Structures are given as C-alpha cells and as structure tokens.
Amino acid sequence: MSSLGTMARKVLPFFAKGRVVRGFGRGSKELGVPTANFPDDVVENLPEELCCGVYCGFASIDNGTVYPMCLSIGWNPYYKNEKRTMETHIIHNFSEDFYDQQLKLVIVDFIRPMLDFTSLDELKSAIASDIVTSHKILANDAAAALSKHEFFLLDEDV
Ligand code: ADP
Ligand code: MG
C-alpha cells in the first residue's frame, strides 16, 4: 500500500461537516458523478495527512439517511495548488441538488492516489471501480459501525 495511505490512516476515521457550496463546474454531474464541495474553512481544517487521493466513507445530508460515499482530496489549481479541494460523491441517486444543506461525513479509508487519466473512458472506469472498492471496504463490520456513529444523529445545526 502506498505511503499516502499509511499516512492517511493515522488520522482515520475523520469526521467533517459543513454547508455544500458550488464547485468549479468541471462537469462532474455530466459524467454521472456529481461531487459536492465543502466551504474553504472545512477544507482548511483537514489534517495534513489527508491528501491527495480517493477515499471512502459515509455521508448524510441534513441529518438524513447515511449513505456510502467516495471522496477525492486534491490540490486546488484555482489557489495555485496551495489549498486543497475536497469533493464528495454520495453513492445514491438524489432527486434534487442539495446546495447549502448540511453535509456530514466520516472518512473511513484510503483507496488510491490521484492518477492522471489520458481519456474520459479511463476516468469513468476508475470511478466505477472506486465505487466497487468503497462498497467492499464499507461492508466490513468496523467500517459499517461508523455509519451508525452518534455524529450522524440529530444536532442543533439544521
Ligand atoms: P459543482 O461544480 O457545483 O460541485 P457538480 O456537477 O459536481 O457541481 O454537482 C455537485 C452537486 O450535485 C452537489 O453540490 C449536490 O447539490 C448535487 N448532487 C446531487 N446528487 C449528488 C450525489 N449523489 N453526490 C454529490 N452531490 C450530488
Ligand atoms: Mg463538484
């Protein structure tokens, strides 16, 4: 396993919450994998160990159902790669967007480093395989228990 994964696992599981903001309009939704963005302050509070790769975990919107998710953490070209980005794809078909609603998540495990894809098809098949890997990892008892963590229970923020 890569050293990125070894480093990340030192701070996992990691919990985060914040309002969903608009992203960069890079067409994630057109690819069939919309990715919800957190505001800068949430990203700035991520431990340094959590960088550059694809992760899996669980997420909820406005304290609703807890779903599996895949998350990518990378460098933000808009800030000259000095700030990170954190984009969450919840593995569920929502009938509507949920901008400005509260996204809560727990990052459970590291899946892979960021890769440079030479074609859209390559990117799409990597995402499909990330989703399969996420389901496998999250089915593990210890991982699944995190979806029931008290963090996901109602709180005062919504
Ligand atoms: P943006 O550039 O604003 O991030 P995207 O094309 O990546 O646009 O779409 C992300 C938005 O899609 C999220 O902010 C959310 O409101 C909505 N959305 C709908 N379904 C999902 C999902 N399953 N996972 C993540 N976001 C979703
Ligand atoms: Mg997005």
Side-chain angles (χ1 to χ4, degrees):
M1 186 44 73
S2 79
S3 59
L4 280 174
T6 308
M7 210 159 68
R9 289 191 184 98
K10 292 186 177 144
V11 296
L12 296 180
F14 183 81
F15 295 85
K17 65 177 173 182
R19 302 256 159 210
V20 175
V21 299
R22 296 212 169 250
F24 316 100
R26 283 191 296 218
S28 318
K29 206 176 281 172
E30 289 72 20
L31 278 181
V33 278
T35 58
N37 287 64
F38 272 135
D40 286 350
D41 62 310
V42 176
V43 182
E44 280 157 18
N45 283 316
L46 269 185
E48 274 177 28
E49 287 85 349
L50 293 183
C51 200
C52 297
V54 177
Y55 294 80
C56 65
F58 295 102
S60 72
I61 296 299
D62 277 358
N63 291 318
T65 307
V66 178
Y67 298 108
M69 64 83 178
C70 279
L71 162 89
S72 76
I73 300 178
W75 292 108
N76 191 335
Y78 289 82
Y79 294 104
K80 300 190 169 144
N81 298 329
E82 282 165 10
K83 286 186 181 189
R84 282 169 291 176
T85 61
M86 190 179 178
E87 302 192 22
T88 305
H89 172 65
I90 303 181
I91 308 173
H92 178 74
N93 271 327
F94 289 89
S95 52
E96 287 176 15
D97 286 351
F98 42 80
Y99 288 110
D100 208 36
Q101 298 187 40
Q102 187 183 233
L103 169 63
K104 278 186 181 176
L105 58 82
V106 58
I107 307 173
V108 175
D109 205 358
F110 176 89
I111 297 181
R112 63 167 170 87
M114 286 306 202
L115 302 168
D116 271 329
F117 296 105
T118 52
S119 74
L120 200 57
D121 278 349
E122 234 175 66
L123 171 61
K124 282 185 183 170
S125 68
I127 293 169
S129 129
D130 292 337
I131 290 175
V132 171
T133 308
S134 298
H135 282 304
K136 278 187 195 150
I137 293 173
L138 298 172
N140 165 284
D141 284 350
L146 288 165
S147 69
K148 301 192 166 59
H149 194 280
E150 62 180 8
F151 170 77
F152 287 111
L153 299 178
L154 276 185
D155 67 19
E156 66 290 348
D157 293 343
V158 169

